[in-house]
Amino acid sequence: QVQLVESGGGLVQPGGSVTLSCAAPRSSLDGYAIGWFRQAPGKEREGVSCINSADGATDYAASVKGRATISRDNAKNTVYLLLNSLKPEDTAIYYCAVPRDRPYYYCSELREDEYNNWGQGTQVTVAT
């Protein structure tokens, strides 16, 4: 239904920052909450953050609270995730997704089975 594309990852030094983007090339994201998830090697996919559609309310996992900022630019049809003070444990493939069930404009609980339409992911590697 909605095809998502993640970008912006790369190799970053500890203590640095990275801005990830989530876009939909052929549809509008205006009516959707967008969740960010990540999966490290050997670990299950975990929720990172989510932003509502209309009211812009946000949610953050404890592991990134205080270091992450999620935002959206409707004119660019893009949702961003800014991560500061990066740690090696932030190394993972980062994915964005939309809520699986209605209402699509509200964030569901940050659980993998509550979201769908996963993109291909973007790799973030935090290392010297």
Side-chain angles (χ1 to χ4, degrees):
Q1 186 79 348
V2 179
Q3 182 178 343
L4 302 176
V5 179
E6 302 92 341
S7 63
L11 177 62
V12 188
Q13 293 185 339
S17 63
V18 66
T19 299
L20 308 180
S21 299
C22 177
R26 292 180 290 278
S27 59
S28 174
L29 295 179
D30 289 356
Y32 294 92
I34 298 294
W36 280 99
F37 292 75
R38 66 186 182 185
Q39 187 166 21
K43 295 185 177 181
E44 296 182 352
R45 192 172 299 180
E46 65 172 351
V48 176
S49 183
C50 187
I51 184 168
N52 282 0
S53 174
D55 64 9
T58 59
D59 189 21
Y60 297 96
S63 59
V64 301
K65 194 167 296 183
R67 301 189 297 120
T69 303
I70 188 170
S71 62
R72 63 194 307 157
D73 186 337
N74 290 338
K76 296 182 178 179
N77 199 38
T78 302
V79 174
Y80 303 98
L81 179 67
L82 169 64
L83 291 175
N84 295 314
S85 302
L86 287 167
K87 309 172 182 178
E89 47 264 48
D90 293 320
T91 296
I93 301 176
Y94 284 73
Y95 302 88
C96 60
V98 299
R100 185 167 186 167
D101 302 317
R102 295 180 180 271
Y104 302 123
Y105 43 84
Y106 286 136
C107 291
S108 301
E109 185 179 358
L110 282 171
R111 299 177 65 90
E112 181 180 4
D113 57 5
E114 294 288 339
Y115 292 79
N116 61 9
N117 289 20
W118 305 98
Q120 62 184 355
T122 184
Q123 176 73 50
V124 174
T125 302
V126 184
T128 57

